[in-house]
Amino acid sequence: RNPKARFLSAFLDKVVSNDHLYIRDHCCHFNFACIDAAQTIPGFLKLAAVCTDGHWRRQHERVDVKYWPYMDFVLHAETAAADARTLLQHVGAWDKYGASGWARDAATGKSLAIFESKDVQGAGEHATHSEWKHWQWYTPESELQVEAFYRSDYENPLFHFVHDCLTCITTTNETTSNSTSTTTTTTN
């Protein structure tokens, strides 16, 4: 999963919601100053640096170094359906294991392929919809801090993560008389 979206999701689910119980029990151990300090992206980054947890741990660290030479494909949460199809077709298993039988379309009753369902049942109560909340929580500075924290994930050639700017505003001005196009990018 994209590191910035994943970090924001962990922040919203484990820090902001449920009365901070998760970080209270797993990181701060009833230290209320610690809990208060973690209520911002920069504050949570500081906590994440000293409190290792699978929800915000760097993804490349989740696999032992000795296994990386044997990997050549990584599925992404954002494109799981297409990635799973690519992988299963590559190994000749799409028709038997991926094409159908994973869920049913509520409207048509059609049998869906792996990861084709559009609901968030897999995430359940943990679904934070962080992909729509980056403007609310990230500043240009905190976005760069999160990128730096996950630098090793961005640099891993198997992940293919892109440094999309979530806090940039891009506007395009087009002039039809000379077919000139100007793109300006600014940050909030």
Side-chain angles (χ1 to χ4, degrees), residues 3-4 9 11 28 32 35 45-46 51 67 78 82 84 108-109 116 124 126 154-155 158 168 176 180-181:
K4 288 186 276 191
S9 180
F11 172 72
C28 295
F32 295 104
I35 295 168
L45 268 171
K46 289 178 185 174
C51 178
Y67 296 113
E78 298 86 354
T108 66
E116 194 175 37
H126 298 286
Y154 281 106
E155 292 174 352
L158 286 176
C168 294
T176 55
T180 304
S181 177

Side-chain angles (χ1 to χ4, degrees), residues 70-76 82-88 90 158:
Y70 303 104
M71 293 189 192
D72 61 3
F73 191 85
V74 173
L75 277 76
H76 294 90
D83 291 351
R85 183 181 188 125
T86 298
L87 176 64
L88 291 172
H90 181 73
L158 286 176

Side-chain angles (χ1 to χ4, degrees), residues 13-74:
D13 186 41
K14 306 302 180 192
V15 178
V16 175
S17 69
N18 67 37
D19 292 326
H20 326 294
L21 294 176
Y22 192 87
I23 62 163
R24 183 197 72 192
D25 295 345
H26 290 83
C27 299
C28 295
H29 309 290
F30 293 90
N31 176 338
F32 295 104
C34 169
I35 295 168
D36 288 345
Q39 297 305 302
T40 64
I41 295 290
F44 182 49
L45 268 171
K46 289 178 185 174
L47 180 62
V50 296
C51 178
T52 303
D53 185 271
H55 294 95
W56 53 80
R57 183 177 178 191
R58 292 168 190 90
Q59 292 171 78
H60 83 279
E61 294 173 352
R62 296 176 63 105
V63 175
D64 194 299
V65 174
K66 67 183 177 187
Y67 296 113
W68 282 108
Y70 303 104
M71 293 189 192
D72 61 3
F73 191 85
V74 173

Side-chain angles (χ1 to χ4, degrees), residues 153-184:
D153 283 345
Y154 281 106
E155 292 174 352
N156 186 309
L158 286 176
F159 289 157
H160 301 286
F161 289 135
V162 178
H163 288 275
D164 290 335
C165 181
L166 302 178
T167 56
C168 294
I169 300 171
T170 302
T171 57
T172 303
N173 300 323
E174 294 184 18
T175 306
T176 55
S177 61
N178 294 339
S179 298
T180 304
S181 177
T182 305
T183 302
T184 306

Side-chain angles (χ1 to χ4, degrees), residues 123-145:
E125 64 188 38
H126 298 286
T128 62
H129 305 288
S130 62
E131 65 274 19
W132 300 306
K133 296 180 180 176
H134 58 263
W135 282 89
Q136 181 181 355
W137 292 99
Y138 278 126
T139 65
E141 296 79 20
S142 65
E143 181 178 1
L144 290 174
Q145 292 170 342

Side-chain angles (χ1 to χ4, degrees), residues 81 105 112 115-121:
D105 183 284
L112 300 176
F115 301 124
E116 194 175 37
S117 175
K118 301 293 184 210
D119 64 25
V120 293
Q121 287 179 335

